[in-house]
């Protein structure tokens, strides 16, 4: 009788719920982790190293030229002498230079490192810029590989960045913008690693069954890569204050990453959970840690006695506190002076810079910049030769900026594709803030941090064109052909622009042929 009761109970209960629960857990883990990283780690690093070396050769080739009779060209004339002065003084500036010491010290400190190695010449003041540009190639390969889970697409990102005219020329100038771009891309890379680690930690909580112990989800522990991202963003601000825009953008991204991760893990209140568990640590990483990193870039100034505006605030007799108060008060006033300079740097209709541009022209590179021009050189095989360097975004990429933005916005809104959301947010952080004050003087080299995110924004749809691994051989072959043709077109376009990106001697006819649009003249 008891056996019959047991069998009847089994019929009413139905199948064992354990397999269903295991399937549900697996489903949650799959939602959290998504497609795994490629397993070809060794090949991935070999590809990264090879393309990094190729990119380094391209960036460093004939780095010392051109110069203006042995002196810097274009805006190098501001930063290169300031860096040399820092090297001479002990890492601080004491000459106001017509009040044009209006950027934090880190970028000039990095230029000074190159000058300490090679002297006051083109190689010296461009060495660290070229190194930063080469390292960005390595970074973007790893970033694209993590975004797409494809070593091939990571390699394509590296090739596209090598062939970007903006990244190339800015890597060969003793200016600040390539350092800003490097730190921002590195911060973005750290943020992506943090996202993956958070989801891995939540996946462990799901697998072990304690993710739902709280309606707000578990605490996630110390997030070292988010802290690293904050440090790198603080260093970006230590190059130029426009790094602040990326602090805001990446802060928004990390909050959205946390909310979506908690939701994917099945947390009952993901928004409240993020507010309670993650918001204060995020503020600490992107404001507190970033501020400390920024202040650390002023170490030479703090340690000086004759640095610019170093003693605007007098020291009182309250001991160490008085010294600290004086130092930070002087730094605050220095920042006020710099802010005043930038707020008054407006376009004069009567004396407009011939290469000034506004941000609506930047995505497609409609108004590039002429950095150097010499119309009476030798070496082109004709009586009159031209040597010039012009900052031009490779048209095969930059002219696709608006389609890239349109496709990316559609993917992030209609398909909730986090990859496009991350890339488009970073790209727009480099563009939209400049629309706030259109009276300000602006120039095309401000787009330097945007270039890497343009590349990523192009690589993601190239992945769609390439197709998925489970697609048929014909579909994959066709996709690979289209992608290969496009990459080949970018390389050919870069090769065509090479003479005016490097200041090579060319004929007048070739110079005119390089200027594709009336707005390039």
């Amino acid at each position: 009788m008891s056996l019959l009761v047991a069998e009847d109970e089994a019929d009413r209960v139905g199948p064992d719920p354990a397999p269903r629960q295991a399937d549900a857990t697996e489903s949650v883990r799959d939602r959290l982790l998504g497609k795994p990283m490629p397993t070809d780690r060794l090949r991935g690093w070999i590809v990264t190293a090879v393309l990094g070396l190729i990119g380094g050769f391209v960036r460093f080739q004939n780095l010392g030229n051109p110069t203006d009779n042995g002196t810097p060209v274009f805006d190098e004339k501001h930063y290169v002498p300031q860096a040399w002065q820092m090297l001479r003084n002990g890492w601080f500036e004491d000459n106001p230079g017509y009040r044009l010491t209006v950027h934090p010290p880190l970028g000039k400190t990095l230029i000074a490192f190159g000058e300490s190695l090679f002297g006051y010449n083109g190689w010296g003041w461009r060495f660290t810029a070229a190194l930063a540009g080469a390292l960005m190639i390595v970074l973007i390969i790893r970033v694209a590989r993590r975004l797409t889970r494809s070593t091939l697409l990571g390699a394509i990102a590296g090739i596209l960045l090598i062939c970007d005219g903006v990244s190339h020329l800015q890597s060969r100038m003793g200016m600040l913008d390539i350092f800003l771009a490097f730190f921002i891309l590195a911060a973005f890379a750290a943020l992506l690693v943090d996202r993956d680690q958070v989801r891995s930690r939540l996946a462990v909580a799901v697998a072990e069954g304690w993710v739902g112990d709280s309606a707000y989800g578990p605490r996630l522990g110390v997030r070292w890569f988010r802290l690293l991202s904050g440090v790198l963003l603080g260093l970006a601000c230590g190059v130029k204050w426009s790094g602040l825009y990326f602090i805001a953008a990446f802060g928004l991204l990390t909050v959205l990453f946390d909310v979506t991760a908690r939701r994917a893990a099945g947390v009952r209140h993901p928004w409240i959970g993020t507010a309670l568990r993650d918001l204060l640590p995020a503020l600490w990483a992107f404001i507190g840690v970033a501020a400390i990193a920024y202040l650390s870039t002023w170490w030479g100034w703090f340690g000086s006695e004759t640095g610019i505006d170093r003693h605007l605030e007098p020291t009182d007799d309250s001991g160490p506190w008085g010294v600290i108060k004086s130092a930070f008060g002087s730094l605050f006033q220095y920042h006020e002076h710099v802010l005043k300079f930038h707020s008054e740097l407006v376009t004069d209709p009567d004396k407009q810079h011939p290469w000034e541009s506004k941000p609506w022209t930047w995505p497609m590179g409609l108004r590039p910049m002429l950095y150097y021009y010499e119309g009476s050189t030798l070496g082109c095989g004709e009586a009159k030769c031209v040597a010039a360097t012009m900052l031009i975004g490779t048209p095969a990429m930059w002219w696709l900026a608006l389609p890239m933005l349109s496709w990316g916005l559609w993917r992030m809104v209609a398909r909730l594709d986090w990859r496009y959301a991350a890339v488009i947010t970073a790209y727009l952080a480099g563009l939209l803030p400049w629309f706030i004050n259109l009276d300000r003087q602006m120039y095309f080299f401000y787009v330097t941090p945007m270039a890497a995110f343009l590349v990523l924004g192009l690589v993601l749809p190239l992945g769609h064109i390439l197709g998925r691994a489970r697609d048929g051989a014909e579909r994959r072959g066709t996709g690979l052909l289209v992608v290969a043709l496009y990459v080949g077109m970018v390389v050919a376009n870069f090769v065509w622009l090479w003479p005016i990106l490097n200041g090579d001697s060319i004929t007048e006819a070739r110079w005119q042929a390089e200027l594709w649009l009336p707005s390039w003249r």
Side-chain angles (χ1 to χ4, degrees):
M1 184 69 170
S2 60
L3 180 60
L4 292 175
V5 170
E7 289 175 348
D8 183 59
E9 286 290 324
D11 290 339
R12 285 192 287 111
V13 170
D16 184 357
R20 290 202 302 269
Q21 170 128 20
D23 290 344
T25 299
E26 266 318 298
S27 176
V28 172
R29 291 185 76 252
D30 289 343
R31 285 203 309 272
L32 271 171
L33 299 179
K35 185 178 178 181
M37 287 291 291
T39 57
D40 58 344
R41 294 185 62 185
L42 178 59
R43 182 171 63 177
W45 280 111
I46 291 173
V47 167
T48 303
V50 170
L51 287 176
L53 289 172
I54 293 172
F57 175 79
V58 170
R59 297 294 190 251
F60 278 94
Q61 186 269 341
N62 200 23
L63 185 64
N65 291 307
T67 63
D68 185 3
N69 295 318
T71 67
V73 300
F74 189 60
D75 272 9
E76 287 184 329
K77 294 182 182 295
H78 297 308
Y79 310 118
V80 168
Q82 291 169 358
W84 186 252
Q85 187 192 45
M86 294 178 79
L87 186 62
R88 183 193 67 199
N89 285 350
W91 307 105
F92 66 90
E93 302 159 274
D94 60 11
N95 185 337
Y98 304 101
R99 297 305 307 178
L100 289 178
T101 311
V102 291
H103 291 292
L106 181 56
K108 291 166 282 188
T109 302
L110 293 172
I111 294 173
F113 285 148
E115 292 176 338
S116 70
L117 293 173
F118 299 101
Y120 194 75
N121 54 56
W123 260 92
W125 63 65
R126 295 169 183 160
F127 175 78
T128 47
L131 181 61
L135 291 175
M136 284 185 68
I137 295 165
V138 173
L139 273 175
I140 205 166
I141 294 170
R142 307 308 298 180
V143 167
R145 186 175 183 269
R146 184 170 291 274
L147 277 173
T148 63
R149 303 310 203 230
S150 166
T151 299
L152 174 60
L153 290 172
I156 290 172
I159 294 170
L160 295 186
L161 192 64
I162 291 172
C163 296
D164 170 46
V166 169
S167 300
H168 177 74
L169 184 50
Q170 288 301 118
S171 299
R172 297 169 57 83
M173 292 288 290
M175 295 169 62
L176 306 181
D177 302 85
I178 196 66
F179 303 119
L180 174 67
F182 169 78
F183 286 121
I184 287 169
L185 181 60
F188 185 76
L191 194 63
L192 294 184
V193 176
D194 173 70
R195 178 190 180 276
D196 285 353
Q197 286 192 347
V198 162
R199 288 176 169 256
S200 295
R201 293 177 186 182
L202 285 171
V204 171
V206 169
E208 295 179 357
W210 49 272
V211 72
D213 289 354
S214 167
Y216 310 122
R219 300 184 185 277
L220 298 173
V222 179
R223 293 166 59 173
W224 295 108
F225 277 95
R226 185 166 66 179
L227 291 171
L228 175 60
S229 186
V231 170
L232 292 165
L233 288 170
L235 296 179
C237 292
V239 176
K240 275 191 168 184
W241 284 358
S242 49
L244 288 168
Y245 305 141
F246 292 89
I247 288 180
F250 291 3
L252 174 64
L253 280 178
T254 192
V255 170
L256 293 178
F257 284 167
D258 290 347
V259 169
T260 53
R262 288 181 182 276
R263 178 182 293 160
V267 173
R268 291 194 294 278
H269 301 295
W271 282 97
I272 300 176
T274 298
L276 293 176
R277 306 284 201 222
D278 305 317
L279 188 57
L280 283 179
L283 290 173
W284 168 244
F286 287 103
I287 297 178
V289 171
I292 294 171
Y294 172 75
L295 289 173
S296 72
T297 66
W298 292 85
W299 61 272
W301 184 89
F302 277 118
S304 73
E305 287 296 324
T306 59
I308 298 171
D309 292 348
R310 176 61 182 84
H311 290 291
L312 289 177
E313 184 79 18
T315 304
D316 57 30
D317 297 327
S318 57
W321 170 245
V323 174
I324 294 173
K325 180 182 176 183
S326 170
F328 280 93
S330 298
L331 185 63
F332 181 79
Q333 291 188 52
Y334 185 2
H335 281 58
E336 285 185 321
H337 294 162
V338 172
L339 183 60
K340 183 174 183 291
F341 170 87
H342 287 291
S343 64
E344 295 176 351
L345 190 64
V346 297
T347 300
D348 184 345
D350 298 325
K351 298 180 181 178
Q352 185 172 353
H353 191 286
W355 293 100
E356 187 176 350
S357 61
K358 296 302 180 184
W360 57 79
T361 68
W362 296 349
M364 294 180 65
L366 298 181
R367 185 59 173 163
M369 293 204 70
L370 185 65
Y371 282 173
Y372 170 82
Y373 180 86
E374 175 56 59
S376 57
T377 63
L378 301 174
C380 70
E382 294 188 2
K384 182 181 179 182
C385 304
V386 172
T389 54
M390 178 173 275
L391 185 70
I392 295 178
T394 305
M397 290 190 290
W398 286 76
W399 289 2
L400 294 178
L402 296 182
M404 180 276 292
L405 277 172
S406 301
W407 174 256
L409 289 170
W410 181 82
R411 288 287 304 188
M412 64 184 281
V413 173
R415 295 298 183 91
L416 300 179
D417 193 324
W418 72 270
R419 303 169 305 162
Y420 285 92
V423 171
I424 297 300
T425 298
Y427 180 88
L428 292 178
L431 176 65
L432 293 183
W434 298 104
F435 284 87
I436 296 173
N437 181 14
L438 292 175
D439 291 332
R440 190 189 190 281
Q441 289 184 24
M442 302 181 204
Y443 304 96
F444 185 54
F445 61 81
Y446 291 0
V447 305
T448 307
M450 295 166 50
F453 299 104
L454 170 66
V455 167
L456 294 173
L458 293 173
V459 165
L460 290 174
L462 287 178
H464 298 307
I465 295 171
L466 186 62
R468 294 167 294 186
R470 62 176 178 269
D471 291 338
E474 183 175 355
R475 165 66 182 84
R476 289 277 287 179
T478 303
L480 182 60
L481 175 62
V482 172
V483 170
L485 288 172
Y486 175 70
V487 173
M489 181 173 65
V490 171
V491 174
N493 197 177
F494 178 67
V495 171
W496 172 262
L497 293 172
W498 179 268
I500 64 171
L501 293 173
N502 295 273
D504 292 347
S505 183
I506 55 177
T507 65
E508 178 67 26
R510 175 64 186 273
W511 164 244
Q512 295 300 323
E514 295 279 359
L515 306 178
W516 289 3
L517 300 178
S519 61
W520 289 17
R521 297 178 182 275

